[in-house]
């Protein structure tokens, strides 16, 4: 796999049982690239390690005044230098390729898992953790996977050089062969502590990232309630904890680095001291002593890869553990795919768990007193619930038996907090669509005229509103403006079934009335389900359903339910228990004496809160 071939046609199914198993799965899927890196690494390291032997032969040839051997040493040096240059060049290319392709594979499986779980992902894992896994953790995982082949090449090179030194000069070679393994394992006792400190640093950094992500996401709300400084202080404290943990981790790694500089120096002193005694006794030649001395100097280079692989593993292990935790998440009800290849079903949308029915081609409004329960029910209607349960039926076909892409083609769900990605408005609306609804119609139905004007005003080089740029998550827009753009994006897709969770909660009443009418006209003949408690939307719905404590409690139209169903009236009008009791008592008195007016001791006759709401509703409809 080359970089230009990315993304992978199929990144594979990851082994997410643990962090080490996930790393091993990545390594196995990159076996070809790892073997290439190992081959180029061996050429590079062996070429570097052979240079001392060539230098030793050249020094001894000068001492012996042998031109032939000097020429031979020069040829060998040139050959080693060529092997070093070629090996290092292609090792770097292969290593970078392995790093990038490993990171890309992780990102692809994470993106696939995110798309599979949908909005249920952030209900089970913090959004900040998902961000940390898909950014910094991906790089560290790729680093370890890439570094493994270079470490293997370095380890093989050290073994080969030790064996070669024993045969080349047994007396000194034996000292080196015994000393180098000691150097390699000298830092092992420090690695567990260094790994724990690195894990602590990564854990604190992950928490700080989560806190920063959540703070930025809710910055507008925090400013509104005056809690900005409180959360900024929390982030400052978390940042300082990360700094202290990083300093403690760096101290341990600097100690390991110091040991890996000190130990080779001690070995070098021992070899030189012993070699001088052997040379004075005539047991080794000057060229052999120079060769062994130079070999120890050169071997400090591959020895550094032992430290690097330890660091890479200590940093990648918690990252791999977090990635495996996200990838191990499964849908509450997985699609069996038994209807693969079948047509996208049409018909009534039915939820057996609650008894909710959304007739085909009608606008159904759902009133639910619990916003969280409404969100979970909206997810169920879309075919990707966050909890186990009976599958929702569309035209009698269980959505769980459809492949996930077909289920989401049949039913589109817009949650209450839709996300706007950065880019132009044209790119925002570049979504899969039927082609029957244009961008202008969708934007007009969602009442986005002032939003377009604001986007053009904020983009100096955009004459066409469609070319105006939207900042990341639409932070330059108000909550109502973001909500209307998201609604336009949902309308332009023109799905068979559209489920909207509080699509107008952040807009004013007059705009909401126009949106309700525009949405009704644009979705005529299409199945639409709206979770709302707004009287303006409820009054335009063909069918209103009250869901109470997980079951359908009442079905009808808004004006009937608001009079006949106290639970419905309490949600829609925000009546308190005292006001509800007062309205009930007032109704009974009116029924007992229909010709009389009710006079309160505080003043003239007054109607109920319900009558006030209905009167206000009629006035808004007339003005719209």
């Amino acid at each position: 796999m080359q970089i230009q071939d990315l993304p992978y046609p199929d990144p594979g199914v990851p082994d997410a049982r643990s962090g080490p198993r996930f790393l091993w799965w990545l390594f196995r899927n990159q076996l070809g690239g790892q073997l290439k890196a190992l081959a180029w690494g061996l050429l590079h390291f062996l070429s570097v390690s052979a240079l001392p032997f060539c230098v030793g032969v050249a020094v001894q040839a000068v001492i012996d005044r042998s031109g032939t051997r000097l020429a031979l040493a020069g040829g060998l040096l040139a050959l080693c230098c060529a092997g070093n240059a070629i090996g290092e060049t292609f090792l770097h290319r292969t290593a970078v390729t392995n790093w990038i392709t490993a990171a890309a594979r992780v990102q692809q499986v994470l993106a696939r898992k995110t798309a599979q779980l949908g909005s249920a992902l952030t209900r089970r894992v913090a959004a900040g953790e998902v961000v940390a896994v898909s950014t910094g953790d991906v790089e560290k995982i790729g680093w370890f996977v890439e570094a493994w082949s270079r470490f293997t090449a370095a380890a093989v090179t050290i073994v080969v050089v030790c064996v070669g030194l024993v045969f080349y000069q047994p007396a000194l070679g034996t000292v080196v062969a015994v000393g180098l393994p000691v150097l390699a394992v000298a830092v092992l006792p420090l690695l567990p502590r260094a790994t724990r400190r690195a894990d602590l640093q990564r854990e604190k950094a992950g928490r700080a990232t989560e806190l920063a992500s959540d703070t930025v996401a809710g910055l507008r709300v925090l400013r509104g309630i005056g809690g900005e400084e409180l959360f900024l202080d929390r982030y400052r404290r978390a940042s300082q904890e990360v700094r202290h943990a990083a300093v403690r981790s760096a101290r341990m790694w600097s100690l390991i680095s110091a040991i890996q500089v000190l130990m080779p120096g001690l070995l070098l002193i021992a070899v030189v001291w012993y070699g001088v005694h052997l040379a004075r006794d005539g047991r080794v030649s000057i060229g052999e002593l120079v060769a062994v001395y130079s070999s120890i100097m050169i071997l400090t280079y591959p020895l550094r890869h032992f430290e690097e692989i330890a660091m890479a593993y200590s940093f990648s292990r918690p990252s791999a553990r977090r990635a495996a935790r996200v990838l191990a998440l499964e849908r509450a009800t997985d699609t069996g795919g038994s209807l693969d290849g079948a047509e996208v079903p049409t018909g009534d949308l039915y939820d057996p768990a609650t008894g909710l029915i959304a007739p085909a081609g009608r606008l159904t409004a759902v009133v639910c007193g619990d916003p969280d329960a409404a969100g979970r029910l909206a997810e169920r209607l879309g075919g990707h619930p966050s909890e186990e349960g009976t599958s929702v039926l569309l035209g009698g076909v269980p959505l769980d038996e459809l492949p996930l892409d077909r289920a989401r083609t049949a039913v589109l769900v817009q949650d209450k907090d839709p996300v706007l990605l950065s880019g132009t408005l044209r790119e925002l609306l570049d979504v899969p669509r039927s082609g029957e609804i244009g961008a202008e119609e969708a934007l007009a139905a969602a009442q986005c005229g002032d939003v377009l004007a604001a986007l053009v005003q904020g983009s100096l080089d955009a004459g066409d509103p469609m070319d105006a740029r939207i900042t990341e998550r639409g932070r330059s827009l108000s909550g109502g403006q973001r909500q209307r753009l998201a609604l336009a994006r949902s309308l332009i897709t023109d799905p068979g079934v559209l489920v909207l969770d509080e699509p107008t909660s952040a807009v004013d009443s007059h705009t909401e009335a126009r949106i309700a009418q525009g949405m009704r006209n644009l979705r005529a003949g299409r199945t639409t389900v709206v979770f709302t408690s707004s009287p303006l939307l409820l009054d335009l719905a063909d069918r209103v359903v009250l869901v109470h404590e997980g079951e359908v409690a009442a079905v009808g139209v808004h004006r009937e339910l608001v009079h006949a169903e106290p639970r419905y009236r309490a949600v829609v009008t925000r009546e308190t228990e005292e006001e509800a009791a007062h309205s009930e008592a007032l109704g009974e008195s009116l029924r007992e004496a229909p010709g009389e007016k009710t006079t309160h001791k505080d003043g003239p006759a007054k109607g109920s809160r319900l009558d006030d709401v209905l009167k206000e509703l009629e006035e808004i409809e007339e003005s719209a």
Side-chain angles (χ1 to χ4, degrees):
M1 173 63 69
Q2 297 298 319
I3 295 176
Q4 61 263 28
D5 298 327
L6 295 176
Y8 289 96
D10 180 13
V13 180
D15 186 347
R17 288 177 289 178
S18 66
R21 289 179 182 271
F22 178 64
L23 292 174
W24 174 242
W25 172 80
L26 275 176
F27 180 83
R28 286 189 289 108
N29 278 272
Q30 282 197 313
L31 191 58
Q34 296 291 340
L35 291 177
K36 288 181 182 179
L38 176 60
W40 292 118
L42 286 174
L43 175 61
H44 169 55
F45 289 124
L46 290 175
S47 297
V48 172
S49 301
L51 290 174
F53 294 95
C54 299
V55 172
V57 172
V59 170
Q60 193 61 43
V62 172
I63 294 174
D64 296 340
R65 299 181 181 277
S66 173
T68 302
R69 280 188 293 163
L70 184 60
L72 176 62
L76 291 175
L77 279 170
L79 184 61
C80 290
C81 289
N84 179 25
I86 295 172
E88 185 173 15
T89 299
F90 286 94
L91 172 63
H92 179 73
R93 289 171 58 90
T94 310
V96 171
T97 300
N98 288 340
W99 190 342
I100 293 177
T101 52
R105 188 185 295 273
V106 177
Q107 285 182 326
Q108 278 190 250
V109 294
L110 283 172
R112 185 175 63 186
K113 178 61 67 174
T114 302
Q116 181 186 12
L117 294 175
S119 59
L121 175 63
T122 52
R123 293 181 182 270
R124 302 165 68 179
V125 180
E129 182 170 354
V130 178
V131 172
V133 171
S134 59
T135 53
D137 287 343
V138 166
E139 294 184 5
K140 291 176 174 58
I141 292 171
W143 176 28
F144 173 75
V145 174
E146 171 273 321
W148 182 257
S149 56
R150 290 188 290 112
F151 162 73
T152 305
V156 171
T157 300
I158 290 175
V159 173
V160 170
V161 171
C162 288
V163 173
L165 286 175
V166 170
F167 281 97
Y168 178 71
Q169 204 337 287
L172 292 176
T174 303
V175 175
V176 176
V178 173
L180 281 178
V182 174
L183 296 183
V185 302
V187 296
L188 288 182
L190 299 177
L191 288 180
R193 182 178 297 180
T195 301
R196 286 195 299 270
R197 292 189 179 185
D199 289 349
L200 180 62
Q201 177 195 351
R202 294 293 302 159
E203 180 182 349
K204 290 184 177 295
R207 286 202 297 266
T209 301
E210 294 174 18
L211 180 61
S213 176
D214 295 340
T215 301
V216 172
L219 191 58
R220 186 183 296 272
V221 177
L222 291 175
R223 286 174 176 171
I225 63 176
E228 182 181 3
E229 285 300 323
L230 173 63
F231 276 80
L232 287 178
D233 287 340
R234 289 183 181 179
Y235 179 74
R236 291 189 187 101
R237 290 195 297 269
S239 178
Q240 290 301 313
E241 290 179 3
V242 174
R243 184 178 67 85
H244 290 307
V247 170
R248 294 184 71 247
S249 178
R251 286 173 181 169
M252 185 56 64
W253 287 113
S254 63
L255 177 60
I256 292 175
S257 299
I259 291 175
Q260 290 204 329
V261 172
L262 174 65
M263 296 299 288
L266 295 177
L267 177 62
L268 190 61
I269 293 173
V271 168
V272 170
W273 179 83
Y274 184 51
V276 169
H277 282 281
L278 294 178
R280 291 173 62 181
D281 296 339
R283 296 171 58 184
V284 298
S285 64
I286 299 300
E288 291 173 335
L289 179 59
V290 171
V292 174
Y293 171 83
S294 302
S295 295
I296 298 174
M297 294 291 295
I298 291 295
L299 286 179
T300 56
Y301 170 53
L303 275 174
R304 286 203 298 269
H305 288 76
F306 284 75
E307 177 191 357
E308 181 186 6
I309 196 65
M311 290 184 64
Y313 179 69
S314 66
F315 280 99
S316 66
R317 189 181 64 172
S319 298
R321 186 168 59 244
R322 275 195 295 269
R325 184 164 59 247
V326 174
L327 294 172
L329 298 175
E330 296 293 341
R331 287 168 48 85
T333 55
D334 199 7
T335 54
S338 58
L339 299 179
D340 193 9
E343 294 293 331
V344 176
T346 57
D348 295 346
L349 186 66
Y350 173 60
D351 177 27
T354 60
L356 173 64
I357 299 177
R362 308 287 293 279
L363 173 58
T364 301
V366 181
V367 176
C368 187
D370 184 359
D372 293 333
R376 291 192 295 269
L377 180 54
E379 291 176 353
R380 284 181 52 77
L381 295 180
H384 40 92
S386 57
E387 302 173 352
E388 294 185 1
T390 309
S391 174
V392 172
L393 306 178
L394 179 59
V397 178
L399 289 181
D400 287 351
E401 295 184 9
L402 291 173
L404 189 58
D405 57 344
R406 288 184 175 273
R408 290 181 173 174
T409 299
V411 183
L412 174 65
V413 179
Q414 175 184 305
D415 60 26
K416 65 180 65 178
D417 295 313
V419 176
L420 302 182
L421 301 179
S422 59
T424 64
L425 181 58
R426 194 185 309 278
E427 292 170 340
L428 176 70
L429 300 180
D430 185 15
V431 293
R433 64 183 74 183
S434 65
E436 297 182 9
I437 296 180
E440 294 78 8
E441 297 174 275
L443 291 169
Q447 300 298 311
C448 293
D450 63 317
V451 184
L452 299 181
L455 288 175
V456 171
Q457 185 177 4
S459 301
L460 300 178
D461 56 345
D464 186 351
M466 298 298 291
D467 295 327
R469 295 199 62 81
I470 300 172
T471 57
E472 192 265 335
R473 297 181 68 93
R475 299 192 191 280
S476 61
L477 302 173
S478 67
Q481 290 173 328
R482 290 197 300 270
Q483 203 170 54
R484 282 177 281 166
L485 283 180
L487 177 59
R489 180 178 58 186
S490 299
L491 292 175
I492 201 173
T493 60
D494 192 30
V497 179
L498 177 61
V499 179
L500 302 170
D501 188 4
E502 295 289 354
T504 59
S505 59
V507 300
D508 60 84
S509 299
H510 294 280
T511 305
E512 187 178 32
R514 293 192 291 268
I515 291 175
Q517 189 62 55
M519 183 174 63
R520 178 181 175 86
N521 295 338
L522 198 64
R523 293 287 299 171
R526 296 285 194 179
T527 306
T528 307
V529 181
V530 182
F531 287 82
T532 183
S533 59
S534 168
L536 295 171
L537 288 173
L538 294 171
D539 195 51
L540 287 178
D542 299 314
R543 193 167 184 265
V544 179
V545 180
L546 172 65
V547 177
H548 181 70
E549 295 183 353
E551 294 182 353
V552 172
V555 179
V557 296
H558 171 62
R559 294 177 183 267
E560 294 176 355
L561 291 176
V562 80
H563 285 285
E565 179 54 60
R567 290 172 296 185
Y568 178 85
R569 183 168 59 248
V571 175
V572 174
T573 64
R574 278 74 169 178
E575 271 188 338
T576 64
E577 294 182 359
E578 182 180 350
E579 290 173 331
H582 176 71
S583 297
E584 185 66 24
L586 182 61
E588 291 180 1
S589 64
L590 288 175
R591 285 193 295 271
E592 292 174 359
E596 300 178 5
K597 292 183 179 180
T598 302
T599 304
H600 293 264
K601 62 180 181 179
D602 295 334
K606 297 182 181 179
S608 67
R609 175 180 171 85
L610 172 61
D611 294 332
D612 294 338
V613 171
L614 292 178
K615 183 178 180 181
E616 181 181 356
L617 175 62
E618 292 174 355
E619 292 175 354
I620 292 175
E621 289 177 348
E622 291 175 1
S623 63

